[in-house]
Amino acid sequence: MDYQQTLDWLYAQLPMFSRTGAAAYKPGLQTSIDLDTYFHHPHKRFKSIHVGGTNGKGSTSHMLASIFQSQGYRVGLYTSPHLVDFRERIRIDGEMIPKEAVTDFVNRFRDSNYQGHPSFFELTMMMAFDWFASSRVDYAVIEVGMGGRLDSTNIITPELSIITNISKDHTQFLGATLPEIALEKAGIIKTGIPCVIGEAEGEIREVFEEKASMEGTTILFAQDFMPLQRCTANPDGGLDCSSPICGDFYCELGGDYQKKNINTVLAAVCELRRIGIELDDCAIREGLSNVTKLSGLAGRWMKVSDSPLTVCDTGHNEAGIRYTMEQLDRIAGARGGRKHIVIGFVADKDIDNIIELLPKDATYYLTQASIPRALPAYQLQEKFRSHGIEGNVYPSPKEATETARYQASAEDVIYIGGSTFIVADFLT
């Protein structure tokens, strides 16, 4: 098979949760353990950092990978989902896995006598681990797919576990309450492996403390430690920051929500240093100031045009939307312009609470992504109307954005988001 045929086979034979939803969800570790055994335990041939949580785990993973790379380590990075190219999921030093490596791994799997039936995510994860091992990375930053306890990545024994935060998402799989979701996420906390928690309050904090105590390990709450002392918006779109950890630095990721992610990353760096991993001040500053260049991160409060200011963001749950809407409102107010929102969602998400967070004084362009899970735009229009918001329907993010750009004035702000896949279609 050539590369395109390989991708077609992957998508056809192994349904991808991000595209098809619950039918592709396969909790539990046994298949991952069996695959790992069959491929001779590749994850044991490199050191890893495990990153979970509800929001910010992708940005946190990319920032850490960028810092490690700036230190001179050979760094693997495994994240999901991808936006445009499948190979975004698997990178070494920011470079996507070669097409030939994807084809070679899938051909080896298909030609083997392996009897199991892995999911798309399980096989893709093993592809990443196999490539990292054969490429002799020093460290790999591994992002959890969903949850933690039963996520297929949870077969690794990392140097450090990180959980960014907890909010409601994937409640049909992880639990209806925040403590229930926290318990699933806490499943990546392992015996004797230190853990950093970005933010947690009340019952959620207690869940993590009890799990860490049960596993006999240390836990550091970044919100208590607060290594980030100053963080203000830079005119170029990033953040000017200061920390006793590494001094003054610039972070090119400009979303308001990145302040907490940066705080979590700096706390993680302190823990990594404590256990003997070399990460000097210069590497931290260099890594944070060049995250997109070094790691390939895209879609996080990503500015794609200046006039009118146009940004896209992959935040897709209540906490993520709340941050982006607050920032959108502030920027539009400062510019004296109107807000134009190109938005769509997946069909299996409860969006009523999200819609309540959206501004009533914006112009809405309702659309749908090109995946089976997408909520049809006309159904989205009905849902918006039930919340007292009117919006016109467009068949694709491209047409919705083109209309918004035609109608917007130079001082206006256009936001594209609601779903990772709206952003993916737009960037494509």
Side-chain angles (χ1 to χ4, degrees):
M1 296 190 298
D2 63 19
Y3 176 68
Q4 189 56 54
Q5 290 170 329
T6 300
L7 283 189
D8 293 342
W9 182 87
L10 279 170
Y11 294 147
Q13 299 297 318
L14 308 173
M16 183 169 56
F17 174 82
S18 58
R19 290 179 59 85
T20 60
Y25 179 56
K26 188 179 176 185
L29 297 180
Q30 192 56 55
T31 300
S32 294
I33 292 170
D34 292 344
L35 269 175
D36 185 56
T37 300
Y38 187 83
F39 283 96
H40 308 295
H41 312 290
H43 72 90
K44 294 183 179 181
R45 290 155 57 193
F46 54 84
K47 296 178 179 179
S48 58
I49 314 297
H50 208 187
V51 184
T54 303
N55 291 303
K57 60 182 185 287
S59 295
T60 298
S61 296
H62 281 79
M63 283 190 271
L64 280 171
S66 185
I67 290 170
F68 271 85
Q69 188 177 338
S70 296
Q71 185 66 39
Y73 296 115
R74 186 163 171 79
V75 186
L77 176 62
Y78 177 64
T79 59
S80 62
H82 63 272
L83 290 177
V84 177
D85 189 324
F86 164 81
R87 298 178 301 136
E88 296 168 26
R89 295 168 176 258
I90 307 171
R91 297 177 183 267
I92 293 179
D93 290 347
E95 296 295 325
M96 294 187 290
I97 182 172
K99 293 179 180 180
E100 297 77 13
V102 175
T103 300
D104 173 70
F105 178 85
V106 172
N107 284 337
R108 280 191 284 138
F109 173 76
R110 292 186 68 195
D111 293 340
S112 72
N113 58 5
Y114 180 78
Q115 298 299 309
H117 299 282
S119 69
F120 178 93
F121 191 83
E122 287 164 338
L123 191 62
T124 300
M125 176 200 74
M126 196 52 56
M127 181 192 300
F129 290 180
D130 181 75
W131 190 52
F132 293 161
S134 64
S135 301
R136 299 184 179 182
V137 302
D138 299 307
Y139 292 93
V141 181
I142 309 298
E143 180 190 2
V144 173
M146 185 192 300
R149 181 176 65 95
L150 299 177
D151 186 77
S152 60
T153 64
N154 206 26
I155 62 172
I156 66 174
T157 302
E159 306 300 300
L160 177 70
S161 300
I162 301 170
I163 302 173
T164 55
N165 52 56
I166 302 296
S167 62
K168 287 191 175 182
D169 201 11
H170 301 302
T171 54
Q172 70 271 47
F173 306 113
L174 304 181
T177 69
L178 292 178
E180 289 174 339
I181 295 171
L183 189 60
E184 290 297 314
K185 304 279 187 183
I188 69 170
I189 300 175
K190 294 183 173 67
T191 303
I193 306 300
C195 181
V196 169
I197 307 294
E199 54 178 328
E201 302 285 355
E203 291 181 277
I204 298 172
R205 188 182 182 107
E206 291 174 6
V207 168
F208 292 137
E209 289 173 335
E210 289 174 8
K211 176 65 173 174
S213 176
M214 185 184 310
E215 298 295 342
T217 192
T218 61
I219 188 167
L220 174 65
F221 291 92
Q223 70 190 80
D224 297 343
F225 185 42
M226 285 302 293
L228 183 64
Q229 294 186 339
R230 177 179 62 83
C231 195
T232 57
N234 182 286
D236 292 335
L239 297 168
D240 291 319
C241 306
S242 181
S243 169
I245 306 302
C246 60
D248 294 340
F249 65 93
Y250 171 76
C251 180
E252 65 174 333
L253 304 183
D256 284 358
Y257 53 84
Q258 296 294 0
K259 297 175 184 179
K260 291 184 178 181
N261 293 335
I262 296 168
N263 197 62
T264 301
V265 167
L266 291 173
V269 165
C270 289
E271 280 294 276
L272 292 165
R273 284 174 164 177
R274 184 181 67 80
I275 62 176
I277 296 175
E278 183 180 358
L279 295 169
D280 62 38
D281 294 357
C282 184
I284 299 170
R285 294 192 295 267
E286 177 74 14
L288 293 174
S289 65
N290 294 285
V291 179
T292 59
K293 176 184 176 182
L294 293 177
S295 74
L297 180 65
R300 273 66 167 188
W301 198 260
M302 181 177 176
K303 184 170 71 171
V304 294
S305 177
D306 284 307
S307 182
L309 177 61
T310 304
V311 296
C312 60
D313 192 274
T314 56
H316 57 272
N317 53 38
E318 289 181 43
I321 293 293
R322 179 179 289 108
Y323 272 113
T324 53
M325 289 303 107
E326 289 174 355
Q327 185 167 4
L328 179 66
D329 189 63
R330 187 181 71 249
I331 292 174
R335 293 169 64 94
R338 297 177 299 144
K339 298 183 283 284
H340 300 259
I341 298 179
V342 175
I343 198 164
F345 298 94
V346 291
D348 53 0
K349 182 182 290 290
D350 182 358
I351 61 172
D352 286 290
N353 290 338
I354 291 176
I355 295 175
E356 285 299 312
L357 298 173
L358 300 176
K360 297 294 194 292
D361 60 341
T363 302
Y364 285 90
Y365 307 79
L366 310 179
T367 188
Q368 63 194 64
S370 57
I371 60 168
R373 278 178 72 202
L375 178 66
Y378 282 104
Q379 292 183 26
L380 180 60
Q381 186 181 49
E382 293 173 5
K383 179 72 77 170
F384 267 59
R385 282 174 175 165
S386 71
H387 288 265
I389 300 177
E390 286 293 330
N392 291 325
V393 168
Y394 299 87
S396 71
K398 177 184 177 182
E399 291 172 86
T401 304
E402 287 176 347
T403 305
R405 289 181 60 81
Y406 177 76
Q407 295 183 353
S409 301
E411 67 273 12
D412 292 348
V413 183
I414 299 172
Y415 168 86
I416 304 160
S419 163
T420 298
F421 309 103
I422 295 294
V423 176
D425 279 6
F426 166 73
L427 293 177
T428 301

